[in-house]
Amino acid sequence: MNPVIGLDVAKGESQVQAFLEKKKPYKKSFKVAHTLEGLHKLHAFIREVEEFTDSKPPIVLESTGHYHMPVVQYFEKRGYLLIIVNPLISYKAKSSSLRKVKTDVIDAYHLCELYYKEDLEPCKKRGILLEYKKHLSKLEEEIDALAKNIEEYKIIQSIPGIGEKIAATIISEIGEIDRFNHPKKLVAFAGIDPSVFESGTFKGTKNHITKRGSSRLRHALFTAVRCAIRDARKTRTTKELIPRNKRLREFYDKKREEGKPYRVSIIACANKLLHWIYALLKNKTTFQDVA
């Protein structure tokens, strides 16, 4: 079955209609108040539909300014997919009906019918995307919380330019450092080692990075490098600017002075940074920048 709940939202109350599947309404439409008691009643009805169909129904409602917010907040917390429809879309669908009758009961019914039409596909996808983003955000928060209890997290964060999220990403992607018996193997794992192309007597002179291995680790390293070499004020009371990571900035400046392009210099810095991370994790020591 493919159930859905349609809510025609008004000030302080909603008209409810459920469908078990296309052209199959479930029970009579009814009203609920936007009070805690009313929303509990609505939740109990939706749970009844869930048990009957063995499927969690999405909730379709029109965007009604702030009137729909209590419903959205209540059911978002309980993990329901909410599809908030532009009133113009629902009006267009209702206008196509031969019967020009408008009541709250009919509007809730129309919202259920609209769910099964192709017109609502972009709204469904947007709703699903928002759900995924919420879950992803929650997972990131859990990863950050777990990372703070790991010794390696504090070691990596001692490197200027590496913040909480980047440190957590690096730890999760590298895993156990003992998996790598040489820093070059860690560099290869990140995909920032140069590719080599040879065929017979031909030897390539412009070798790009392999981009194999972990793209998440590679992206985190590039972000960390850009943050580390960026200038920051020494104190709030002075205009003096210093790089966040002096040692890495010196290495970057050296590469630029050698005539290396910006991107090549950033990749070289990421390579250097990963060598430092390898050494720090192996020796369980924190980073020491130049004075």
Side-chain angles (χ1 to χ4, degrees), residues 61-65 68 84-95 111 114 123:
L61 62 159
E62 281 185 354
S63 177
T64 54
H68 66 275
I84 301 171
V85 184
N86 186 319
L88 290 172
I89 295 172
S90 54
Y91 177 77
K92 185 181 175 184
K94 283 180 265 187
S95 299
L111 283 168
L114 186 61
C123 299

Side-chain angles (χ1 to χ4, degrees), residues 267-286:
I267 292 167
C269 287
N271 197 309
K272 174 70 76 175
L273 180 60
L274 206 48
H275 274 75
W276 288 345
I277 289 169
Y278 180 87
L280 294 175
L281 292 177
K282 279 286 187 180
N283 299 315
K284 297 191 182 300
T285 55
T286 54

